Amino acid sequence: GGQWLCPLHRCSQCMRTAHQAGGLLFRCVSCPHAYCDECLPDGFEPIAQYESFTALRFRLPSRTYECVRCNQCVKMRRQPLKETAASTGASGGSKK
């Protein structure tokens, strides 16, 4: 069997650690992805404060990584939520 590696401690694209990538990884607060500076896709959202961390009295470290919302998570947040059958009162069924 293989060894499990935490996805937040390596770049999701090139697999380098923060040390190997110049000391910095950008970690997404919404999904288990991290990116080095070279692999961070355009369209990310920088996160200065994250209320889930603040509620736990956790201060965001500034030496080895930055918190972001990756481009895929930013896109998902901007999409309107689709109504479900439960929220509209519609009965379940299939489209033909």
Side-chain angles (χ1 to χ4, degrees):
Q3 179 181 357
W4 183 79
L5 299 171
C6 177
L8 293 177
H9 289 92
R10 292 187 178 270
C11 175
S12 297
Q13 300 297 308
C14 68
M15 301 305 291
R16 292 185 297 174
T17 64
H19 177 75
Q20 294 166 331
L24 182 69
L25 288 178
F26 296 91
R27 296 177 182 185
C28 184
V29 297
S30 299
C31 73
H33 285 90
Y35 300 92
C36 68
D37 187 46
E38 292 176 20
C39 296
L40 182 65
D42 289 338
F44 70 92
E45 180 179 280
I47 305 292
Q49 290 292 329
Y50 188 56
E51 63 184 60
S52 295
F53 293 161
T54 304
L56 297 170
R57 296 184 177 164
F58 177 76
R59 291 181 22 186
L60 296 176
S62 60
R63 298 193 114 207
T64 58
Y65 61 87
E66 293 286 329
C67 291
V68 298
R69 188 164 282 113
C70 73
N71 63 333
Q72 292 299 319
C73 291
V74 168
K75 286 178 192 174
M76 287 176 37
R77 285 176 55 107
R78 290 186 181 152
Q79 290 177 352
L81 296 175
K82 294 181 181 176
E83 292 183 324
T84 62
S87 67
T88 61
S91 61
S94 62
K95 292 184 177 182
K96 294 190 180 198

